[in-house]
Amino acid sequence: MADLLERWRAAGRGAGATDPAGLTDAGEELIHRWREPHRQYHTVDHLHAVLDVVDRHAELAVRPDLVRLAAWCHDAVYDPRTGGDANEQDSA
């Protein structure tokens, strides 16, 4: 997971984050969420795949690191018992 955490830190720094410890803490929390055992689709593998797509098309974005951070946060909160778009709302 070290490579994934470094991808988070790089995106955060690129987006303007200036608190290395806070950035690391937030990344570790997100990785913990993405590794929750109840997840079926929004897993670490899915996150890797999304980040790879963002990286392949980064030149199309004005601020690609903001897109990367958005990818990290999409469905960071995931409760399969929740209906509607509650997970997306809570993730935002």
Side-chain angles (χ1 to χ4, degrees):
M1 292 298 124
D3 63 320
L4 199 52
L5 184 57
E6 185 47 41
R7 287 177 88 169
W8 164 260
R9 283 187 229 163
R13 287 189 305 267
T18 58
D19 176 7
L23 191 58
T24 296
D25 289 346
E28 288 172 347
E29 172 65 23
L30 282 166
I31 291 170
H32 172 76
R33 289 180 176 274
W34 281 93
R35 295 182 76 198
E36 293 168 329
H38 63 270
R39 290 176 178 258
Q40 299 296 312
Y41 177 73
H42 288 101
T43 64
V44 170
D45 290 337
H46 174 72
L47 177 59
H48 271 287
V50 170
L51 292 172
D52 289 346
V53 169
V54 172
D55 287 347
R56 278 196 305 276
H57 301 286
E59 75 281 353
L60 301 173
V62 174
R63 303 227 15 227
D65 286 313
L66 293 181
V67 178
R68 290 180 181 101
L69 295 179
W72 271 88
C73 293
H74 92 280
D75 278 331
V77 175
Y78 180 73
D79 181 348
R81 300 166 296 175
T82 303
D85 66 351
N87 287 322
E88 288 79 6
Q89 292 294 323
D90 290 344
S91 293

